Amino acid sequence: SGLAQSVTPLVGRQDDLAAVRAALVGSRVVTVLGSGGLGKTTLAQAVARTAHESVVHVVPLVTVTDGRDVMGAVADSLGVHHGLSDLHENPMSGALLGRIAAQLAGPPVLLVLDNCEQVIEAVANLVALLVASVPRLTVLTTSRSPLAIAAERVVPLAPLAPDAGADLLRERARAVRPGVRLEADVVTEIVRRLDGVPLAIELAAAQMAALDPQDLATRIGRRIGLIDDREQTLSTIIDWSYQS
């Protein structure tokens, strides 16, 4: 459940995909760690689609802002019945935890908890309890910070390498504007200014439906200016893309 069909190729992340798969072989809890826009969700979905476990559940937590709601969100995704009295109970002794564990028991299961950073403590507590009570459960999380539990292995996700970033920009640009002329130095400059962040590169490529690559590079340079922080750079590109 919760699997998204891939509509575009996974560009520049084959080594990261292999690293996560290898980590899952030797660890029952793996966290893909990185800042916003690096493609943690995309990578986790790719892992989930090719998982060897008999059962795979992907639970998005991006809209969950209160740690007390984490168990309810997981229960909903798994189809576990619960009432209002279950939602804010103590997970250490709660009946809802038992029903979630029972739902995950049986054949090997991969549980993917996506976008955990805003409720990291609640996720860490839940994951620790579940892996202790469900022997054939493996958990993959994505987050900007680690769970910091004993069973966890962290796989850091870095920005795309320059060549991979250039490949992504070319592919996405040609999807919106077939035949667009992409000079190597201009592509390199755009990727450099966007710090290799995949989401920023994709948003910039979408602008090539109306802008020539050199104009795009110039406008990106004006907007980003002297910004060094990756999150601010990404925010600037998102705002620009939305306004355009």
Side-chain angles (χ1 to χ4, degrees):
S1 65
L3 292 177
Q5 295 302 312
S6 177
V7 295
T8 56
L10 185 66
V11 177
R13 290 299 190 197
Q14 294 307 314
D15 288 347
D16 297 298
L17 184 61
V20 175
R21 286 172 173 163
L24 287 168
V25 171
S27 303
R28 295 189 58 204
V29 180
V30 174
T31 295
V32 178
L33 189 70
S35 57
L38 290 180
K40 299 185 295 296
T41 295
T42 301
L43 181 61
Q45 283 281 352
V47 173
R49 284 192 297 269
T50 57
H52 68 272
E53 285 84 0
S54 304
V55 179
V56 178
H57 296 289
V58 180
V59 182
L61 296 176
V62 65
T63 61
V64 180
T65 57
D66 188 331
R68 296 173 298 177
D69 297 329
V70 168
M71 277 212 303
V74 173
D76 287 339
S77 293
L78 299 180
V80 174
H81 174 74
H82 61 83
L84 292 176
S85 62
D86 293 318
L87 295 181
H88 292 172
E89 67 184 6
N90 181 355
M92 296 295 291
S93 60
L96 181 55
L97 175 66
R99 294 199 291 275
I100 292 173
Q103 181 74 5
L104 295 172
V109 177
L110 175 64
L111 176 64
V112 181
L113 303 177
D114 188 29
N115 293 115
C116 300
E117 55 272 355
Q118 73 284 357
V119 285
I120 193 69
E121 184 176 351
V123 171
N125 290 336
L126 178 60
V127 170
L129 291 167
L130 287 176
V131 296
S133 57
V134 185
R136 305 182 79 183
L137 173 66
T138 303
V139 180
L140 174 65
T141 72
T142 72
S143 180
R144 299 185 189 188
S145 57
L147 302 185
I149 61 176
E152 181 185 34
R153 180 172 176 181
V154 171
V155 178
L157 193 62
L160 290 174
D163 288 348
D167 289 343
L168 179 62
L169 183 66
R170 292 189 187 98
E171 180 170 315
R172 300 298 190 260
R174 287 166 179 157
V176 299
R177 188 176 173 182
V180 62
R181 185 175 180 180
L182 297 165
E183 300 290 348
D185 58 337
V186 175
V187 170
T188 299
E189 182 62 15
I190 291 173
V191 172
R192 183 190 68 78
R193 290 180 177 177
L194 297 179
D195 204 18
V197 176
L199 178 57
I201 292 170
E202 295 200 24
L203 292 174
Q207 300 298 321
M208 290 192 199
L211 292 175
D212 288 332
Q214 184 59 64
D215 291 337
L216 176 66
T218 301
R219 295 193 184 197
I220 289 174
R222 288 181 189 149
R223 285 186 170 268
I224 293 177
L226 298 177
I227 292 176
D228 293 322
D229 183 82
R230 188 176 298 145
E231 296 289 343
Q232 292 183 35
T233 297
L234 181 58
S235 178
T236 298
I237 295 299
I238 290 174
D239 289 343
W240 175 44
S241 179
Y242 178 77
Q243 293 165 8
S244 300

